[in-house]
Amino acid sequence: MYGSPPRLMSKPKLTNTNLYRTYLVMELLRSQNEREFPLQLASVYFWVAAHNGCKQQDVAAAVGMSPSSVSRCVTWLGPQHRLEHRSGLKLVRREVDPVNPKCWRLFLTPKGEQFTNLVEQQLTMPIKDQ
């Protein structure tokens, strides 16, 4: 009659659910009131989440970052961003090591534990073809 009907755009087929889950986790990270969530920050967060109570120096060795870079990330993940006008993410807290007062121990805050649970849900939930 008047030509062909308009073609409906189809969704792309999901071909790798693990990568899609990774994408969902990255979107969760970006939802933490940060437009940017650098991979260094994510590496430090995930290491601490997997090793709650670890020493800060162990994080530096594990993620291959300098101690000062890890310290900046921990500050950002904590209550105060290194830039004074910005708030931290409040996911991690630092405590002095009771055995060695020159070391810091890193722990998830209650907000960090809740966020870790959200990440774990994203990693285990059934995925429909998106």
Side-chain angles (χ1 to χ4, degrees):
M1 295 198 236
Y2 294 104
S4 313
R7 293 188 70 192
L8 299 175
M9 296 290 292
S10 63
K11 289 183 182 178
K13 183 177 182 341
L14 180 63
T15 58
N16 188 317
T17 56
N18 288 334
L19 290 177
Y20 184 67
R21 288 177 199 279
T22 304
Y23 158 77
L24 293 174
V25 168
M26 296 306 290
E27 289 303 304
L28 265 179
L29 292 172
R30 290 179 358 125
S31 74
Q32 292 302 298
N33 295 326
E34 286 292 329
R35 290 187 314 201
E36 298 177 3
F37 203 106
L39 286 177
Q40 283 186 325
L41 193 64
S43 291
V44 171
Y45 167 74
F46 284 125
W47 179 262
V48 173
H51 303 86
N52 204 16
C54 61
K55 291 182 181 177
Q56 187 167 315
Q57 65 194 33
D58 294 339
V59 176
V63 299
M65 292 168 47
S66 69
S68 61
S69 291
V70 169
S71 181
R72 279 191 297 274
C73 287
V74 170
T75 299
W76 190 350
L77 289 166
Q80 183 63 44
H81 191 279
R82 68 186 178 96
L83 301 175
E84 292 181 16
H85 67 281
R86 294 179 63 185
S87 178
L89 296 171
K90 299 174 180 71
L91 298 172
V92 171
R93 65 181 166 82
R94 264 190 262 235
E95 288 184 12
V96 174
D97 185 325
V99 176
N100 182 355
K102 293 182 181 180
C103 292
W104 291 103
R105 292 265 179 191
L106 304 176
F107 298 90
L108 292 176
T109 63
K111 179 182 176 185
E113 290 174 5
Q114 287 178 325
F115 185 72
T116 299
N117 290 336
L118 282 174
V119 169
E120 288 177 342
Q121 286 174 14
Q122 287 288 18
L123 293 173
T124 58
M125 72 177 193
I127 299 284
K128 297 178 188 174
D129 193 14
Q130 297 289 321

